Every structure is written in C-alpha cells, then in structure tokens.
Amino acid sequence: MLKVLLLFIILIAGIVLGPMFAGHQGYVLIQTDTYNIETSVTSLVIMLILLIVVLFAIEWVLRRVFRTGARTRGWFVGRKRTRARKQTREGLMKLAEGDYTQVEKLLSRNADHAEQPVVNYLLAAEAAQQRGDDLRVNQYLERASEVADSNQLPVDITRVRIQLARGENHAARHGVDALLNVAPRHPEVLRLAEQAYVKTQAYQSLLEILPSLAKANVYNDEEIQKLQLQAYIGLMNERMANGGSLELKSWWNDQSRKTRHETALQVAMIEHLIECNDHDTAQQILVDGLKRKFDERLVLLMPKLKSGNPEQLEKLLNQQIKQHGASALLNSTLGQLLMRHGEWQQASDAFRAALKQRPDAYDYAWLADALDKLHRPEEAAQMRRDGLLLTLKQEQPANPS
C-alpha cells in the first residue's frame, strides 16, 4: 500500500512539476450553461491533490471515531462478561447451599453474557421451580429455548424434569415420548421416561425401555428386575380389572415362555388368580413352576390354594422333600395341608419336625390346634405357652450395649 501511494505521489509530482519546468502549464476549460471555469493543468492537479488529502483526513478522523466506539462497546461487553462469569460462580455455590432464591437471582442476571447462557437460564428455571414460581419457570424456559437455537435437547430435558417435580405427569409423559424419538439412548432421557411411565402407569411402555435402561447403565440388574416386576404386576392389575381371571389367563398365555418361567412373575400371577378365586389355574401354574425349579416363594403360596385337587399338592410336597430334604418350610407347609384333610396326627408330626429345625410361633399355634383335635389339651396348652414366649422374646427390644 505504501509503495502504491509513493508511486502515486511521484506520478502527480511529475505531472505538476514537468510543465512548470518546461514553461508550459497547459489550459483547462470547464464550461456549463451559466459558468465558465478556466485554469491551468497544474492548478487543477494541485486542487485534486488537496481534495484527495482532505478526503484522506476525513476518512482517518472517522476511522478513529468508530474505532473508539468499538473499543468502548468492547469494554462494556467485556465488563458484562466478567460480571456474568463471577455471578455464575456465585450462583453455583448458592446452588450447593440450597439457597434457591439467590441461585435464581445470580444465574439469571447477565445470563445473556455468560459463557453458556442456556445453562444459566435452565438452572434459574429449576431454582424458580424449587420456590414454586411457575411464571418465572416458564419465562426462563422460553428464554433458554430462544438462546439454544437448534440444540433444544437440554431445554426439553429440563422442562420434563420440572413437569415431573410439579406433578404434571401426563405432560411429562408426552415430553419423554418426543425425547425418545430424538435421543433414545440418552441416560437422562431414559431415567425421566422411567419416572413418567411409572407415574402414569404406562407399564407396557416401561417394559419397552428396560433393555435401553440396562445398556445405558442407568440402573443395575437388581433395579431393572424390580422395574420389570413392577411393570408386569401393573399389567396384571389392568387385565384383572378389565376382565377378571379370563382376561388375566389370556394375557398370561400370550407372554413368551421365558416370561412365564420367571418365578417372580409366577408368584405374582398366582396371587392375582387367587384374588380372582381361580384356584385351579393358580395351582397349575404353581405346580409347573415347582416341577421346573424349586423356589420357597412358590411353596409359601401352597396353603393359600383351595383347589379341587389338594392331593396333587401333597404329592408334590413329598417329592420336593425327597429331592431337597425335609426343610422346616416344607414340613410346616405339609402340616398345614394335612390339617385341611383332618389328618391331625400326621400334621402334628410335620409341625414337630419343623419346630425341631427352627422355632416358629405359627407352627406352635398350628401344632396346638392339631393336638386339640387329638384330645391332648395339656400338650396343646404347652405349645401355646411356648409360642407366646417366643413371640414376646422376638418383640422384646435388644438391650443397649
């Protein structure tokens, strides 16, 4: 640029000084309707140079003025950013302290100049929600949505979280359904979906996201199993409420073999069928389950069954005793079944065997009833005393050390 300017000056100097040294300055006539302007070439060139100099001077002054304005604006913006950064740090400290009023105040002030304006507005919204200020919550969410532009995921996640906290469960479910279409493997989206589905009793939808919850390590295996059981029990309740045992059996038969072979689900299904007074179907599921795999949860349900085929349960119990040994639970259960048929001596023998393995207040009471039927009042009274002492001993609080 400097070289071009120097060349331009030399050229102009040549045009001006050349004719002056030669004694021929030339002649220029500018004629209009009313004016005639006469001057020499040298004078015209000098005037043009002066005009250019004036224009350069004006341009330099304007540049200085605008540069000063930009610097001033930059100083103000930098000051606001520094203040926003400081307020954000203070707001996060207040968040850790649980002072939500100060959190909202510090994070919302100068939020537009913060490093992450969306985060500031979303945290301010959650702080306002903690205070119960729904109007402020909506304002902060709208502002966060505007600032986030195309990345609406954190805004939508925060909105659903706040809706769940407010108890707006169906609105939250609508929100998580949309979020799952956008981010089906996002851990927080899955966590919120689980909460929304449980609260709205959308048990089939809950079952559908359980594999994703497991893959994303949102919950451990034990928690996943609890959620699965909760979902299936919810579905059982729905079927039972809609069509009783017929609807319940139809639904159960539609499940996969793997599902029908899970002991926890078998126990839940048996309990629902007993509630529906369908003891025959409940007994069939129990028998099939125990034949496939021994589980004490199924054995505990035997005394609750009132089917027309009690001999099947006694036979099954004897088989379990032969295979797994005469445990206290099996002896006690066998005694309860024998009492139903009036087989008092065999029942009392089973209860005595169970009590030898471990003391139990219920077994003492059942044994006393059986001894009453066998006309042994003294022994029955002794069993009741032993049962009462055991109950009092269990209820007595431990002495402080």
Side-chain angles (χ1 to χ4, degrees):
M1 184 67 184
L2 183 60
K3 291 181 179 180
V4 174
L5 181 61
L6 182 61
L7 182 60
F8 180 72
I9 293 173
I10 294 173
L11 181 61
I12 296 300
I15 295 174
V16 174
L17 297 178
M20 291 178 64
F21 289 135
H24 302 287
Q25 298 186 20
Y27 176 78
V28 175
L29 172 63
I30 301 174
Q31 186 177 20
T32 65
D33 291 340
T34 56
Y35 295 100
N36 289 330
I37 301 174
E38 298 180 3
T39 183
S40 64
V41 173
T42 302
S43 299
L44 179 62
V45 171
I46 292 172
M47 285 188 290
L48 289 174
I49 292 172
L50 291 174
L51 178 61
I52 291 172
V53 171
V54 171
L55 291 175
F56 271 116
I58 294 172
E59 187 265 343
W60 180 83
V61 171
L62 292 175
R63 186 183 299 168
R64 293 288 295 182
V65 170
F66 285 117
R67 185 177 297 172
T68 302
R71 288 178 180 175
T72 303
R73 287 194 301 272
W75 182 82
F76 279 112
V77 171
R79 188 167 179 270
K80 288 181 178 179
R81 287 178 179 173
T82 301
R83 185 182 299 172
R85 193 179 299 114
K86 179 182 178 182
Q87 290 170 341
T88 299
R89 287 197 300 267
E90 293 175 355
L92 293 176
M93 292 297 295
K94 292 298 181 181
L95 180 63
E97 296 173 7
D99 188 350
Y100 297 109
T101 300
Q102 287 298 315
V103 171
E104 179 188 350
K105 180 179 178 180
L106 291 167
L107 292 178
S108 61
R109 187 182 297 173
N110 293 314
D112 289 333
H113 301 283
E115 294 181 2
Q116 295 290 341
V118 176
V119 176
N120 280 52
Y121 281 120
L122 293 180
L123 289 175
E126 295 208 41
Q129 188 277 321
Q130 291 288 340
R131 295 192 306 102
D133 192 340
D134 294 343
L135 178 61
R136 288 286 188 181
V137 169
N138 295 330
Q139 289 176 347
Y140 292 137
L141 288 176
E142 289 177 7
R143 184 60 188 143
S145 181
E146 294 172 1
V147 176
D149 195 16
S150 60
N151 186 19
Q152 294 292 317
L153 183 60
V155 181
D156 293 337
I157 287 175
T158 303
R159 181 179 288 109
V160 170
R161 188 185 297 118
I162 290 174
Q163 288 171 340
L164 286 171
R166 287 176 176 174
E168 300 172 0
N169 299 326
H170 290 282
R173 179 184 173 183
H174 177 75
V176 296
D177 287 340
L179 282 171
L180 286 171
N181 291 329
V182 178
R185 295 180 179 84
H186 194 288
E188 184 61 16
V189 171
L190 291 169
R191 186 180 291 106
L192 292 173
E194 176 264 323
Q195 295 176 19
Y197 290 152
V198 168
K199 290 182 177 181
T200 58
Q201 300 181 354
Y203 298 115
Q204 188 60 47
S205 298
L206 177 59
L207 286 175
E208 292 171 1
I209 66 169
L210 288 182
S212 298
L213 283 168
K215 289 181 180 178
N217 294 321
V218 176
Y219 298 116
N220 57 37
D221 292 341
E222 182 180 355
E223 291 170 327
I224 293 293
Q225 290 177 358
K226 287 182 179 179
L227 285 173
Q228 183 187 53
L229 180 60
Q230 182 180 1
Y232 275 117
I233 290 176
L235 292 173
M236 291 177 191
N237 290 334
E238 290 178 2
R239 298 304 186 278
M240 186 173 68
N242 292 334
S245 64
L246 291 177
E247 183 74 18
L248 197 57
K249 286 189 291 185
S250 176
W251 172 83
W252 179 254
N253 292 330
D254 290 338
Q255 303 307 304
S256 66
R257 181 178 299 179
K258 180 181 177 182
T259 299
R260 288 185 280 112
H261 287 175
E262 291 190 25
T263 304
L265 298 183
Q266 290 174 341
V267 170
M269 185 64 182
I270 292 168
E271 290 175 340
H272 280 75
L273 288 169
I274 291 174
E275 188 175 350
C276 292
N277 201 31
D278 189 349
H279 293 269
D280 291 335
T281 306
Q283 179 168 314
Q284 189 59 49
I285 294 175
L286 187 147
V287 170
D288 292 342
L290 275 178
K291 285 182 178 179
R292 188 171 291 105
K293 179 183 177 183
F294 176 79
D295 194 289
E296 290 186 352
R297 291 172 292 180
L298 293 173
V299 176
L300 287 169
L301 291 173
M302 281 187 171
K304 297 180 180 180
L305 293 173
K306 300 175 183 178
S307 70
N309 187 13
E311 293 80 8
Q312 184 184 32
L313 293 180
E314 293 181 23
K315 181 180 178 182
L316 179 62
L317 264 180
N318 288 320
Q319 291 175 350
Q320 297 297 321
I321 290 173
K322 290 180 181 179
Q323 292 177 6
H324 304 285
S327 67
L329 174 62
L330 291 175
N331 279 324
S332 176
T333 304
L334 180 60
Q336 293 175 61
L337 295 180
L338 291 169
M339 283 184 68
R340 289 184 182 178
H341 309 145
E343 299 177 13
W344 309 115
Q345 184 59 53
Q346 295 181 18
S348 65
D349 293 340
F351 287 128
R352 290 182 190 276
L355 288 169
K356 286 181 180 179
Q357 293 171 299
R358 55 98 179 91
D360 182 84
Y362 289 105
D363 285 345
Y364 277 120
W366 286 320
L367 176 56
D369 291 341
L371 291 172
D372 281 335
K373 296 294 183 180
L374 293 171
H375 306 291
R376 300 177 187 174
E378 294 182 359
E379 290 185 57
Q382 182 62 45
M383 291 302 104
R384 289 190 173 92
R385 283 194 295 270
D386 292 343
L388 178 60
L389 290 174
L390 178 63
T391 302
L392 293 175
K393 183 179 179 181
Q394 291 174 343
E395 293 179 353
Q396 184 178 2
N399 294 326
S401 58

mmCIF file of all heavy atoms in Angstrom, residues 2 65 77 112 115 204 295 383-385 392:
data_model
loop_
_atom_site.group_PDB
_atom_site.id
_atom_site.type_symbol
_atom_site.label_atom_id
_atom_site.label_comp_id
_atom_site.label_asym_id
_atom_site.label_seq_id
_atom_site.Cartn_x
_atom_site.Cartn_y
_atom_site.Cartn_z
ATOM 1 N N LEU A 2 1.954 1.229 0.801
ATOM 2 C CA LEU A 2 2.862 2.374 0.880
ATOM 3 C C LEU A 2 3.573 2.610 -0.460
ATOM 4 O O LEU A 2 3.755 3.754 -0.894
ATOM 5 C CB LEU A 2 3.881 2.132 1.999
ATOM 6 C CG LEU A 2 4.866 3.270 2.283
ATOM 7 C CD1 LEU A 2 4.103 4.529 2.690
ATOM 8 C CD2 LEU A 2 5.858 2.865 3.367
ATOM 9 N N VAL A 65 -12.869 7.721 15.156
ATOM 10 C CA VAL A 65 -14.098 7.837 15.946
ATOM 11 C C VAL A 65 -14.772 6.488 16.107
ATOM 12 O O VAL A 65 -15.159 6.080 17.207
ATOM 13 C CB VAL A 65 -15.051 8.855 15.297
ATOM 14 C CG1 VAL A 65 -16.419 8.804 15.967
ATOM 15 C CG2 VAL A 65 -14.474 10.260 15.389
ATOM 16 N N VAL A 77 -18.948 -4.700 26.972
ATOM 17 C CA VAL A 77 -19.305 -6.116 26.812
ATOM 18 C C VAL A 77 -18.390 -6.991 27.658
ATOM 19 O O VAL A 77 -18.830 -7.926 28.337
ATOM 20 C CB VAL A 77 -19.238 -6.522 25.329
ATOM 21 C CG1 VAL A 77 -19.390 -8.045 25.192
ATOM 22 C CG2 VAL A 77 -20.322 -5.816 24.531
ATOM 23 N N ASP A 112 -27.338 -13.522 29.460
ATOM 24 C CA ASP A 112 -27.034 -13.438 28.032
ATOM 25 C C ASP A 112 -25.545 -13.289 27.770
ATOM 26 O O ASP A 112 -25.069 -13.592 26.666
ATOM 27 C CB ASP A 112 -27.781 -12.265 27.405
ATOM 28 C CG ASP A 112 -29.271 -12.529 27.301
ATOM 29 O OD1 ASP A 112 -29.641 -13.714 27.210
ATOM 30 O OD2 ASP A 112 -30.054 -11.564 27.325
ATOM 31 N N GLU A 115 -20.896 -17.579 29.667
ATOM 32 C CA GLU A 115 -20.250 -18.461 28.696
ATOM 33 C C GLU A 115 -21.242 -19.451 28.108
ATOM 34 O O GLU A 115 -21.157 -19.800 26.930
ATOM 35 C CB GLU A 115 -19.095 -19.205 29.377
ATOM 36 C CG GLU A 115 -17.950 -18.291 29.807
ATOM 37 C CD GLU A 115 -16.818 -19.059 30.456
ATOM 38 O OE1 GLU A 115 -16.913 -20.303 30.526
ATOM 39 O OE2 GLU A 115 -15.838 -18.428 30.887
ATOM 40 N N GLN A 204 -46.600 -50.978 29.750
ATOM 41 C CA GLN A 204 -46.080 -51.573 28.525
ATOM 42 C C GLN A 204 -44.944 -50.732 27.962
ATOM 43 O O GLN A 204 -43.927 -51.264 27.505
ATOM 44 C CB GLN A 204 -47.210 -51.707 27.485
ATOM 45 C CG GLN A 204 -46.812 -52.482 26.242
ATOM 46 C CD GLN A 204 -46.366 -53.909 26.546
ATOM 47 O OE1 GLN A 204 -47.028 -54.623 27.300
ATOM 48 N NE2 GLN A 204 -45.239 -54.316 25.992
ATOM 49 N N ASP A 295 -38.492 -73.295 44.480
ATOM 50 C CA ASP A 295 -38.373 -71.935 45.000
ATOM 51 C C ASP A 295 -39.305 -71.801 46.193
ATOM 52 O O ASP A 295 -40.493 -72.148 46.116
ATOM 53 C CB ASP A 295 -38.741 -70.903 43.925
ATOM 54 C CG ASP A 295 -38.304 -69.510 44.310
ATOM 55 O OD1 ASP A 295 -38.909 -68.916 45.225
ATOM 56 O OD2 ASP A 295 -37.357 -68.985 43.695
ATOM 57 N N MET A 383 -47.791 -75.997 74.058
ATOM 58 C CA MET A 383 -47.344 -75.444 72.768
ATOM 59 C C MET A 383 -47.737 -73.965 72.642
ATOM 60 O O MET A 383 -46.966 -73.151 72.129
ATOM 61 C CB MET A 383 -47.968 -76.239 71.614
ATOM 62 C CG MET A 383 -47.433 -77.674 71.470
ATOM 63 S SD MET A 383 -45.649 -77.766 71.221
ATOM 64 C CE MET A 383 -45.090 -78.283 72.864
ATOM 65 N N ARG A 384 -48.915 -73.634 73.163
ATOM 66 C CA ARG A 384 -49.347 -72.232 73.097
ATOM 67 C C ARG A 384 -48.478 -71.353 73.988
ATOM 68 O O ARG A 384 -48.150 -70.223 73.642
ATOM 69 C CB ARG A 384 -50.817 -72.117 73.474
ATOM 70 C CG ARG A 384 -51.752 -72.680 72.422
ATOM 71 C CD ARG A 384 -53.216 -72.332 72.695
ATOM 72 N NE ARG A 384 -54.061 -72.758 71.585
ATOM 73 C CZ ARG A 384 -54.677 -73.948 71.525
ATOM 74 N NH1 ARG A 384 -54.530 -74.821 72.524
ATOM 75 N NH2 ARG A 384 -55.418 -74.258 70.494
ATOM 76 N N ARG A 385 -48.091 -71.879 75.158
ATOM 77 C CA ARG A 385 -47.203 -71.108 76.024
ATOM 78 C C ARG A 385 -45.847 -70.901 75.360
ATOM 79 O O ARG A 385 -45.286 -69.795 75.399
ATOM 80 C CB ARG A 385 -47.042 -71.830 77.369
ATOM 81 C CG ARG A 385 -48.234 -71.672 78.301
ATOM 82 C CD ARG A 385 -47.875 -72.114 79.719
ATOM 83 N NE ARG A 385 -47.576 -73.545 79.771
ATOM 84 C CZ ARG A 385 -48.468 -74.488 79.996
ATOM 85 N NH1 ARG A 385 -49.743 -74.167 80.197
ATOM 86 N NH2 ARG A 385 -48.103 -75.752 80.050
ATOM 87 N N LEU A 392 -43.064 -63.048 72.539
ATOM 88 C CA LEU A 392 -42.630 -61.973 73.438
ATOM 89 C C LEU A 392 -41.126 -61.759 73.338
ATOM 90 O O LEU A 392 -40.644 -60.621 73.399
ATOM 91 C CB LEU A 392 -43.014 -62.325 74.877
ATOM 92 C CG LEU A 392 -44.521 -62.366 75.172
ATOM 93 C CD1 LEU A 392 -44.771 -62.861 76.604
ATOM 94 C CD2 LEU A 392 -45.144 -60.976 74.970
#
